[in-house]
Amino acid sequence: MENQFNAALFQPLELPCGTVLKNRVAKSAMSDSLGNGRGDPTDAQIRLYERWAEGGLAVSIVGEVQGNPCFAEKPGNLVLRADSDLRRFRTLAHRGSANGAQLWLQLGHAGAMAHPPISDPKGPSALDIPGLICSALTRDELRALPSEFARTARLAMDLGFGGVQIHAAHGFLLSQFLSPLFNKRDDEYGGSITNRMRLLLDVVDEVRGAAGPGIPIAIKLNATDQLEGGLDRQDALAVIAALDGTAIDLIDISGGTYFPGARSASDSAGTGPYFLDFAEHARPLTRKPLMVTGGFKTLQHAADALARGNVDMVGLARALVLDPALPNGWRSGTGNDPKFPKFANPPEGGVTAWYTMRLTALGEDRAPSDSTELEASIREYEERDSDRISIWNARFRP
């Protein structure tokens, strides 16, 4: 049964818009790569989010949902626009909000990090470095972006999703504008952090206008790019302070970037949450609820984070891949902390492929393999992406 130790984790949280989340556990956004290659949800994806809802969390966030297929991160991304298979999206919204859970869509745009076989990478500035070539968005193109995000948000609301999250982390488009590593512009969108956050704040305003006053709008923000020359703590805190004056309902703090050669925070060898110190510095700057994502592996980690008073929610990702019913187990006291696998000298992308293929097994109600040999996972992951590239291009780039 719920006890004093874990009680705070299972208290409701009222967001500024008035929506009440039933507890403080979120499934943070991941690129689950479970779209069908045409941008629509598959049966496995629908079942996966239903399993997470049944498992007792308050909110799940579907990662990297594109409004524009020209800037996708992977061919397994969802694409939500008027000609999508809206029936399947409605089914995802309905089944992913079982058991009192909320299901939100993360509004994605990969920008410079768009997958070249299916996209036309464009970012704040032109780049030509090993592993990353992109052109620069024109001023007219970037001025059209807030309305594009807003249209996707409005359609999500019409289909029954509970809210949206604006993706401004991990080196994707809005994160690129914040980062001096990507953003070399000399107009009103580059230079000072005030200018670099201009597009993000415009997106927030238009998404709120499209969604309406009572709909949760979250944002995912880097505490740091974890790269020399990228977004640093001082500038990230300036963005937090600016967001306090907006209609955002929840700030999800993460970090790292998928810049070529960089290791993601989730592949770190750390033993605990990554960004609690940043949350401590952010807390005096905003009254908005704060969520920290990354490194939560035990009930102790989650309970301690809330007890410190700087965090209102915890974001779990890989822990919920290992055990989709983890919140129910933690609440009842009958569940154990997940056992995280150890990988010996994993190749770049290998760990991500392993977890992604485990998501597929969960969505298909199969018992996932516990083998830590990565070669088979990488091969299966890459073969599936290869198949979906041709499907994607036939659908969106005929």
Side-chain angles (χ1 to χ4, degrees), residues 6 30 57 80 85 108 110 115-116 118 173 194 201 218 223 229 235 247 250 276 299 307 338 340:
N6 64 15
M30 294 181 283
L57 46 66
L80 180 55
D85 188 338
H115 194 44
I118 59 169
L173 181 73
T194 300
L201 297 180
D235 282 354
L250 180 68
L276 292 178
L299 174 58
F340 282 76

Side-chain angles (χ1 to χ4, degrees), residues 308-384:
R308 291 173 65 169
N310 300 315
V311 172
D312 302 286
M313 289 199 77
V314 296
L316 307 180
R318 290 179 174 178
L320 288 169
V321 182
L322 298 171
D323 182 358
L326 188 63
N328 282 341
W330 279 354
R331 181 166 192 170
S332 67
T334 61
N336 296 317
D337 292 329
K339 293 183 178 180
F340 282 76
K342 297 183 183 299
F343 302 99
N345 301 314
E348 184 175 347
V351 177
T352 296
W354 188 90
Y355 278 96
T356 302
M357 299 319 299
R358 191 177 179 93
L359 287 175
T360 304
L362 291 176
E364 294 174 351
D365 286 313
R366 292 187 284 110
S369 169
D370 288 325
S371 170
T372 56
E373 295 296 324
L374 298 181
E375 286 75 11
S377 295
I378 294 170
R379 184 168 57 253
E380 189 176 0
Y381 178 83
E382 290 179 346
E383 287 175 354
R384 185 174 67 178

